[in-house]
Amino acid sequence: MPASRDSAAARKARGAFFTPEAIARYLADWGIRTPDDRVLEPACGEAAFLVAAGRRLAALGSSAMQLEGHELHPASAARATEVLAAHGLTARITTEDFFGVTPSPRFDAVLGNPPYVRYQAFRGESRAVARAAALRAGVQLTNLASSWAAFTVHASLFVRPGGRLGLVLPAELLSVNYAAPVRTYLMNRFARVRLVLFAERVFPDVLEEVVLLLADGLDEGPTAHCELIQARNADDLADPGQITRWEPRGADRWSAVHLDEATRRAYTAMLHDQGCAPLAQWGQTTLGMVTGRNTYFALTGAEARRRGLVDECLRISPPGSRHLRQQALSATDVTALDVAGRRTWLFRPEAEPSAAARRYIRLGEREGVQTAYKCRVRSPWWRVPYLRPADLLLTYMNADTARLCTNDAGVHHLNSVHGVYLAPEHRDLGMRYLPLAALNSISLLGAELVGRSYGGGVLKLEPREADRWPMPSPALIAARANGLDSVRERVGVLVAAGRLFDASALIDEALYAGQPPPGLPELRAARQRLHERRTARGGSR
């Protein structure tokens, strides 16, 4: 296929995103040290890094450049050769799957932008080959790993001892659990690991946040610290500013790289204070009920009554979470949502379906509902797996911050929200106070650090991440219950008006009774910065 017909959809499917020149130049200038350096660009696309490498080598006085590239897509490989020729450069471009190439550790610098294919589309033989390539380096990846993780490990095997690896990576490197083996591998194998973080979006047409990985001194590790550079955008790399040091805690997430050293110390101290506890200490967080097709299983009240299905339905919190941006969901709230036409009924016959239910099941079969993945792997296909009503409902896709909402209505929940099942000894206290107390400054900052920032500036928390979300401890809330009650109404008014941080200040006062913990102003400022950073990336184009 001619390169000109390589559509955006086709590039996205194979995870190809073209790199801004400023980034390619920055990594080439960092990674190439002598005129004799050998350079590899795996998944070279249209040779952005090879062009930058050629310019760098020419500036160093190279007379015999040693440039190589691998590219899976034939039209892109042909285009890479054309682009290099237009710059007076030549390189050995091999058209093949990089994961299938036997490592040859002979390059001084391996530079590039790995393909980014999420785990949902990264499957079958491609996934198996990639995982085998990572395992060759002793790195075991889970089935949740996206393509870049295996690529990073495999690319490092082409670096000679003492050489350098410079890659453009998704910011998932910092935050996701599946990247823990990659983080450990980098710190163990390299003498120096540097990360460049961006405040703004680097790829204008891509929502994914990226970081630059600059790993130096292969097989001269381990190292106990990372070097950090904070840049505004790709153009800012010409003068990226101060390099700071940060010591990660083992394979734990690296989200704290976004904090300065004093704030990191204050945050860590708070996590170990008796007044703070992870949400897991309060109870268990789980995914919601998975229907397979909400538009079929979740019904409005009018539709459930018209079809005669009310007796074979469960009451649910309707799909979505906007209605949960309050301290509690009452039966009156659910009735109002029902009247407004929201889907507050879940079709779920428990025993032999009635005649009305059988008619609805046949309708679903005519529409092919039974062929949806979650439906076809269960028997019968029309019975959604049951979850008892949760004590609290947790919004996990958020524009501002994650919210807890007390389930006073006792409704079931779908997988558009999570459910929190409180431990018996904390149930009464948690249902009354935790949704209110969770809006304190430490918890708001913690949500930014344990969660993940997704496209559009959305903050997402999965159950395992929510388990680590810092909350006020049961003992602290019990001791400050009267103070929390005294601000409850004012907090509700402020939150409804969109003044979340003003509400948070009231809760801080109630929780700490005029004796704020050390570093609270710095933690509030960090919370503000991270929130603004995330939402700014979501709004920029």
Side-chain angles (χ1 to χ4, degrees):
M1 180 175 67
S4 60
R5 297 180 59 192
D6 185 20
S7 68
R11 291 195 300 272
K12 182 178 180 180
R14 64 177 189 273
F17 300 100
F18 300 134
T19 307
E21 180 184 353
I23 288 180
R25 182 172 63 250
Y26 177 78
L27 286 177
D29 289 350
W30 165 83
I32 300 171
R33 311 284 172 85
T34 78
D36 299 321
D37 278 0
R38 304 185 67 163
V39 182
L40 171 68
E41 181 182 1
C44 65
E46 296 188 0
F49 287 91
L50 290 176
V51 169
R55 290 173 172 168
R56 170 65 170 167
L57 288 167
L60 292 172
S62 176
S63 58
M65 298 181 189
Q66 301 178 76
L67 302 175
E68 295 189 26
H70 293 283
E71 173 54 47
L72 174 65
H73 186 240
S76 294
R79 178 61 180 158
T81 300
E82 295 173 1
V83 169
L84 286 162
H87 287 84
L89 300 169
T90 60
R92 179 173 175 264
I93 306 294
T94 305
T95 305
E96 57 191 329
D97 184 350
F98 181 60
F99 284 124
V101 179
T102 301
S104 175
R106 56 194 177 89
F107 294 93
D108 299 279
V110 175
L111 310 173
N113 184 354
Y116 179 58
V117 182
R118 290 192 184 277
Y119 77 92
Q120 296 94 330
F122 188 47
R123 60 184 64 167
E125 184 178 355
S126 296
R127 178 188 294 280
V129 171
R131 290 185 69 190
L135 196 58
R136 191 181 290 118
V139 177
Q140 178 111 31
L141 297 174
T142 73
N143 285 329
L144 296 178
S146 299
S147 59
W148 68 266
F151 192 99
T152 300
V153 176
H154 187 54
S156 74
L157 299 181
F158 291 77
V159 179
R160 68 160 178 80
R164 296 160 293 283
L165 178 68
L167 299 176
V168 182
L169 296 180
E172 289 181 359
L173 169 69
L174 311 178
S175 61
V176 297
N177 294 323
Y178 77 69
V182 180
R183 295 191 289 265
T184 298
Y185 175 80
L186 293 171
M187 298 297 286
N188 286 339
R189 291 294 302 275
F190 287 90
R192 291 165 295 281
V193 175
R194 179 178 296 177
L195 302 171
V196 179
L197 313 171
F198 296 98
E200 298 175 3
R201 192 182 301 169
V202 171
F203 292 79
D205 299 324
V206 179
L207 293 177
E208 186 66 39
E209 182 184 359
V210 302
V211 299
L212 303 187
L213 168 70
L214 295 79
D216 190 0
L218 181 71
D219 289 339
E220 296 175 358
T223 180
H225 71 273
C226 290
E227 297 176 344
L228 305 178
I229 294 177
Q230 303 278 351
R232 188 176 70 257
N233 51 37
D235 294 335
D236 200 30
L237 290 172
D239 184 20
Q242 182 181 5
I243 298 174
T244 61
R245 287 168 55 110
W246 171 63
E247 292 190 12
R249 298 172 56 193
D252 282 356
R253 293 182 176 200
W254 290 359
S255 303
V257 297
H258 297 298
L259 306 180
D260 59 55
E261 182 59 33
T263 307
R264 280 196 293 268
R265 287 197 299 267
Y267 181 70
T268 300
M270 280 298 303
L271 295 184
H272 291 88
D273 188 270
Q274 291 185 349
C276 188
L279 183 58
Q281 186 171 318
W282 281 91
Q284 181 182 14
T285 301
T286 70
L287 296 169
M289 298 163 70
V290 180
T291 67
R293 186 176 296 182
N294 282 350
T295 53
Y296 172 80
F297 287 99
L299 306 173
T300 65
E303 186 176 11
R305 288 184 285 272
R306 177 171 59 83
R307 294 185 181 277
L309 299 175
V310 168
D311 292 339
E312 289 165 288
C313 287
L314 301 175
R315 297 308 301 273
I316 58 171
S317 173
S321 62
R322 183 169 296 180
H323 58 286
L324 301 176
R325 310 280 164 174
Q326 55 187 354
Q327 294 176 37
L329 180 70
S330 68
T332 301
D333 293 328
V334 175
T335 298
L337 291 165
D338 189 16
V339 170
R342 298 292 299 277
R343 298 174 180 268
T344 61
W345 301 79
L346 179 71
F347 178 64
R348 191 187 182 279
E350 288 207 23
E352 184 65 23
S354 66
R358 286 195 297 271
R359 286 194 296 272
Y360 193 60
I361 290 169
R362 288 194 294 271
L363 172 64
E365 291 171 343
R366 289 196 297 272
E367 295 179 351
V369 177
Q370 78 282 7
T371 65
Y373 173 70
K374 289 295 184 180
C375 296
R376 70 173 184 265
V377 298
R378 66 185 181 224
S379 181
W381 69 264
W382 40 263
R383 184 169 294 148
V384 176
Y386 179 84
L387 278 177
R388 65 182 175 87
D391 299 314
L392 307 175
L393 300 175
L394 167 59
T395 65
Y396 77 98
M397 297 289 281
N398 306 276
D400 52 8
T401 191
R403 304 290 186 89
L404 290 169
C405 180
T406 301
N407 185 14
D408 281 339
V411 292
H412 298 76
H413 65 288
L414 303 182
N415 66 332
S416 54
V417 297
H418 300 324
V420 180
Y421 297 87
L422 295 167
E425 65 271 23
H426 302 318
R427 187 170 186 268
D428 291 343
L429 190 70
M431 289 186 70
R432 178 163 177 78
Y433 292 105
L434 202 53
L436 176 66
L439 296 180
N440 73 87
S441 294
I442 308 302
S443 294
L444 293 186
L445 174 59
E448 299 285 345
L449 296 175
V450 303
R452 314 178 206 175
S453 177
Y454 272 69
V458 170
L459 177 66
K460 182 177 181 181
L461 266 72
E462 296 291 3
R464 286 181 61 186
E465 296 160 351
D467 285 344
R468 300 172 57 243
W469 186 15
M471 293 284 122
S473 69
L476 178 61
I477 288 183
R480 302 290 187 249
N482 289 340
L484 288 169
D485 282 330
S486 71
V487 300
R488 184 184 298 275
E489 186 174 342
R490 283 183 289 162
V491 166
V493 171
L494 289 170
V495 169
R499 297 169 59 186
L500 176 64
F501 292 158
D502 290 336
S504 179
L506 280 181
I507 294 169
D508 289 346
E509 292 176 13
L511 277 175
Y512 302 119
Q515 297 180 326
L520 183 60
E522 291 78 12
L523 294 170
R524 282 177 173 168
R527 170 212 65 193
Q528 181 84 17
R529 286 195 305 273
L530 291 186
H531 179 269
E532 290 176 352
R533 180 177 184 273
R534 173 169 56 81
T535 54
R537 287 197 314 275
S540 61
R541 288 291 183 272

